[in-house]
Amino acid sequence: MGLLLLIEMFVAVFGLIFKVIGGVLLLILKVAFVLVRGMLMQYVRAWRVLRRRWQERQQDKRMKAAAARRAAAADGREGEQ
């Protein structure tokens, strides 16, 4: 009877220890997940800003090229008259 009680207490203590360890590990995983998600969102935000700036630069280049073509075409017409 005493051995059975000792085994039950042993199992109960180890069960409690494993529950605590599991809870701590779960908490660590949750914190790590939140941190990683925050970092990823920061990278996504930065990527969007860079892409928007690149698109604006491309638009500026296209507008300058179109203006240069219009100016060249106007010069060509003035030269013909």
Side-chain angles (χ1 to χ4, degrees), residues 6-52:
L6 186 65
I7 291 173
E8 284 183 21
M9 286 177 56
F10 186 74
V11 168
V13 168
F14 269 95
L16 185 62
I17 290 172
F18 284 131
K19 276 186 182 179
V20 169
I21 291 173
V24 169
L25 286 177
L26 190 61
L27 185 64
I28 289 171
L29 281 174
K30 285 181 180 180
V31 170
F33 179 74
V34 168
L35 291 175
V36 168
R37 188 179 64 182
M39 285 172 35
L40 285 176
M41 290 305 292
Q42 190 176 1
Y43 284 129
V44 166
R45 224 174 288 124
W47 174 254
R48 287 177 182 162
V49 168
L50 288 174
R51 190 178 63 191
R52 189 178 330 120

